[in-house]
Amino acid sequence: MTVQTFTPSATKAASENTVTQPTHTTDVSMKKLYIETQGCQMNEYDSHRMADLLGDSHGYVLTTNPNEADILLMNTCSIREKAQEKVFSELGRWRKLKEQNPDLVIGVGGCVASQEGDNIQKRAPYVDMVFGPQTLHRLPQMLDQHQAQVEKPKKEKIKLVDISFPDIEKFDFLPEPRVEGFKAFVSIMEGCSKYCSFCVVPYTRGEEVSRPLDDVLAEIAGLAEKGVREISLLGQNVNGYRGETFEGGICTFPELLRLVAEIPGIGRLRYTTSHPLEFSDELIQCYRDLPQMVSHLHLPVQSGSNDVLQAMKRNHTIDVYIDKIAKLRKVRPDMHLSSDFIIGFPGETDEHFAETLQFIKDLDFDHSYSFVYSKRPGTPASELPDDTPEQVKKDRLAQVQQVIKQSSIDKTDAMLGKIERVLIEKVSDKDPNLLIGTADNTRLVTFIGDATWVGRFAEIEITEIKTLNLVYGELLNLEPDVA
Ligand code: SAH
Ligand code: F3S
């Protein structure tokens, strides 16, 4: 299992597990909360909100050790079968902890909870609370309800399962995000209405609902005041953002980007994820006009074959994607592009696969994610005949990953001699004269500098390539603090 702190990267594979890390030192007498997060950045964001919520309401502090926790929460992912199976194997381990400590509270949230509802407790009766991605703000009340019925006989207990989709009310109940460092995620919309034929998200997280514009802007302004310099706007399909304005109008995603870029202090803007179909000219113009927007885009395409795209119900052709990227590269020639690919979709032939491989080479992608197709219950693709042997799919995946890896190595190598804009994030643990920051393309950049520069942006000339994700450089220019 990978354990990592909550630092935004451009994107991450949706099957990694993370343990939500405490940001403050804890007192041994405090009640402790352990959160394991599976899946996407939306889930990571939600896990942090859960920690803030239970910290504020019940005084819980985070721990990274499940053995010392009073509450164990699992924020689950159901995007692929493998991720879903992990839930029950991990819950089996938690059951043992509960046998040793009967007061331990176990909660399951996220997309598996949303999909399975009270089936979770049928399979794992020691689970006390089940909540969905849109009801996590009700955790404090659920916990109170649980505590109130602990002593009751089993047959009098009500099942604590709430996986409804109560519009966007969640954000009205979440405390202000706590700030650690210079980067923050801001969720701008929930759910997805695209209904790609393979995907469970519209069913587990619901249809698209956007947060009102003023709420988003106020949250970002508050974060900027607390020192945040880089914002990652989050949503399953951020391009579908239609935030209500104070005057009762609708703000689109490109309009939102322009407003966020005006907030003093915000020196860098990322977002994840958007759909190619709604990757509009207005959005491309934002790249032309807003220097805060990074030259890095994660734009999932899923396949390089028109036949497969059609079967996936992506509603666009390869040429549409290619045209949009060409337009984007016209206004931002140094654009780093990454994507998601599903390999072995039902009906994918050797020819279709060859087209995908060629497409990846032609589009010159940076680090991308690829997955073998996983049949998800209730999705239209799960009904399609699929006669490709599993081993063939695995071999195709290995080929794709080889090409992807080589192209990210090439992208890092190509940084040599270039000038990168870097957000300086910290002093190196190993050498107090070295600073560490991130480039637009998420590579770590190390260079000699002064600790007082942390939190500022700098232009760094890259002088040495160390690893795939780490380069060395020299300071050319230190930008004034953007606040
Ligand atoms: N818009 C979201 C999509 C979430 S799913 C985002 O990009 O954050 C993330 C990725 O998981 C998708 O882009 C797709 O490549 C992959 N995925 C989704 N459903 C899948 C399935 N049934 N099998 C394999 N991979 C899948
Ligand atoms: Fe899933 Fe397609 Fe939406 S991949 S999250 S239904 S854009």
Side-chain angles (χ1 to χ4, degrees):
M1 183 198 304
T2 36
V3 175
Q4 60 178 44
T5 46
F6 190 52
T7 46
S9 56
T11 181
K12 75 180 182 77
S15 56
E16 286 170 25
N17 280 23
T18 57
V19 174
T20 307
Q21 303 281 313
T23 51
H24 309 284
T25 48
T26 58
D27 167 344
V28 279
S29 65
M30 290 168 132
K31 291 184 293 179
K32 298 204 172 57
L33 163 68
Y34 174 87
I35 309 183
E36 186 174 307
T37 309
Q38 303 173 341
C40 63
Q41 285 166 330
M42 287 30 106
N43 265 12
E44 275 197 48
Y45 176 89
D46 283 349
S47 290
H48 278 262
R49 300 286 76 79
M50 292 179 206
D52 293 347
L53 203 60
L54 290 178
D56 280 12
S57 66
H58 289 70
Y60 282 97
V61 291
L62 275 169
T63 173
T64 52
N65 178 2
N67 298 306
E68 64 164 23
D70 302 281
I71 301 192
L72 300 175
L73 294 181
M74 196 180 295
N75 196 3
T76 61
C77 170
S78 63
I79 201 81
R80 283 171 292 276
E81 192 178 355
K82 215 163 135 201
Q84 180 148 356
E85 279 312 306
K86 264 193 212 160
V87 173
F88 291 100
S89 60
E90 188 62 16
L91 281 176
R93 274 190 282 277
W94 287 10
R95 174 195 199 148
K96 297 204 179 78
L97 295 178
K98 190 146 177 166
E99 281 164 5
Q100 290 153 19
N101 170 16
D103 294 334
L104 184 65
V105 182
I106 298 182
V108 178
C111 290
V112 176
S114 175
Q115 197 162 25
E116 297 289 321
D118 57 7
N119 281 334
I120 302 256
Q121 283 159 319
K122 285 193 189 124
R123 200 162 152 186
Y126 45 90
V127 169
D128 301 296
M129 310 181 296
V130 176
F131 52 97
Q134 316 302 14
T135 47
L136 61 94
H137 58 288
R138 297 181 184 159
L139 259 179
Q141 290 87 323
M142 263 193 163
L143 189 59
D144 289 341
Q145 280 174 295
H146 167 72
Q147 306 292 17
Q149 61 176 4
V150 165
E151 302 294 328
K152 286 191 183 162
K154 206 173 167 196
K155 61 177 185 313
E156 284 178 30
K157 286 187 185 177
I158 50 160
K159 283 213 156 150
L160 297 175
V161 178
D162 184 353
I163 51 164
S164 54
F165 296 142
D167 221 14
I168 202 85
E169 78 169 39
K170 138 174 163 186
F171 292 99
D172 296 335
F173 291 87
L174 294 176
E176 252 184 54
R178 277 174 210 156
V179 173
E180 251 300 282
F182 303 99
K183 298 174 175 176
F185 285 115
V186 174
S187 176
I188 61 165
M189 51 91 66
E190 284 280 336
C192 184
S193 307
K194 286 267 174 259
Y195 291 94
C196 301
S197 65
F198 52 82
C199 184
V200 286
V201 169
Y203 311 99
T204 57
R205 298 189 82 104
E207 294 237 347
E208 287 165 12
V209 218
S210 298
R211 290 179 72 188
L213 173 67
D214 287 343
D215 288 8
V216 172
L217 294 180
E219 184 167 321
I220 297 175
L223 289 166
E225 263 170 37
K226 290 180 187 150
V228 168
R229 297 290 167 261
E230 175 180 313
I231 293 287
S232 296
L233 301 173
L234 280 189
Q236 295 291 347
N237 178 22
V238 287
N239 249 331
Y241 180 77
R242 303 269 180 283
E244 203 182 315
T245 65
F246 185 66
E247 298 81 21
I250 293 292
C251 174
T252 64
F253 185 58
E255 287 164 355
L256 173 69
L257 288 170
R258 287 179 188 274
L259 292 170
V260 173
E262 278 174 22
I263 296 176
I266 300 305
R268 199 186 245 174
L269 257 175
R270 300 182 188 275
Y271 59 83
T272 189
T273 311
S274 55
H275 189 288
L277 198 62
E278 285 166 323
F279 199 84
S280 61
D281 286 348
E282 288 76 31
L283 183 49
I284 292 173
Q285 281 153 19
C286 289
Y287 283 95
R288 183 194 61 198
D289 300 340
L290 307 176
Q292 292 91 336
M293 290 184 66
V294 285
S295 291
H296 185 282
L297 169 68
H298 183 68
L299 190 62
V301 63
Q302 316 297 358
S303 173
S305 146
N306 281 331
D307 292 345
V308 177
L309 284 186
Q310 194 175 8
M312 287 177 164
K313 296 218 166 60
R314 295 288 290 179
N315 292 325
H316 70 83
T317 59
I318 284 306
D319 283 346
V320 166
Y321 191 92
I322 293 174
D323 281 355
K324 292 190 185 210
I325 297 306
K327 273 189 188 165
L328 181 65
R329 284 187 165 145
K330 221 176 221 163
V331 298
R332 280 286 178 99
D334 57 347
M335 196 66 171
H336 284 251
L337 179 67
S338 71
S339 200
D340 288 343
F341 294 92
I342 296 180
I343 305 303
F345 187 78
E348 184 193 71
T349 61
D350 283 341
E351 290 72 37
H352 295 142
F353 174 67
E355 286 179 80
T356 298
L357 217 49
Q358 190 57 46
F359 175 79
I360 297 176
K361 290 177 187 163
D362 291 348
L363 271 262
D364 200 21
F365 285 102
D366 194 354
H367 188 79
S368 294
Y369 296 97
S370 50
F371 319 91
V372 166
Y373 167 72
S374 172
K375 187 171 171 166
R376 305 315 294 131
T379 58
S382 68
E383 316 271 318
L384 295 173
D386 184 5
D387 51 12
T388 312
E390 220 38 46
Q391 192 53 47
V392 171
K393 295 185 180 182
K394 282 189 183 151
D395 291 346
R396 287 180 187 164
L397 183 74
Q399 285 184 62
V400 158
Q401 293 192 331
Q402 181 57 36
V403 171
I404 287 174
K405 188 164 178 209
Q406 189 55 51
S407 66
S408 28
I409 292 171
D410 293 347
K411 289 277 160 300
T412 308
D413 287 348
M415 290 169 77
L416 192 65
K418 295 242 169 76
I419 297 164
E420 296 285 338
R421 182 168 185 254
V422 167
L423 170 59
I424 308 170
E425 290 186 54
K426 59 179 183 179
V427 176
S428 161
D429 296 336
K430 295 189 192 116
D431 181 344
N433 297 313
L434 286 183
L435 301 177
I436 301 177
T438 39
D440 271 15
N441 65 11
T442 75
R443 269 46 166 205
L444 295 176
V445 180
T446 296
F447 59 99
I448 294 172
D450 192 288
T452 58
W453 301 349
V454 171
R456 289 167 67 177
F457 289 92
E459 269 71 56
I460 306 290
E461 182 175 349
I462 307 304
T463 52
E464 194 181 342
I465 307 297
K466 289 303 276 188
T467 65
L468 179 61
N469 195 36
L470 176 68
V471 299
Y472 283 7
E474 280 167 21
L475 179 81
L476 289 187
N477 173 42
L478 182 67
E479 292 181 17
D481 191 9
V482 280

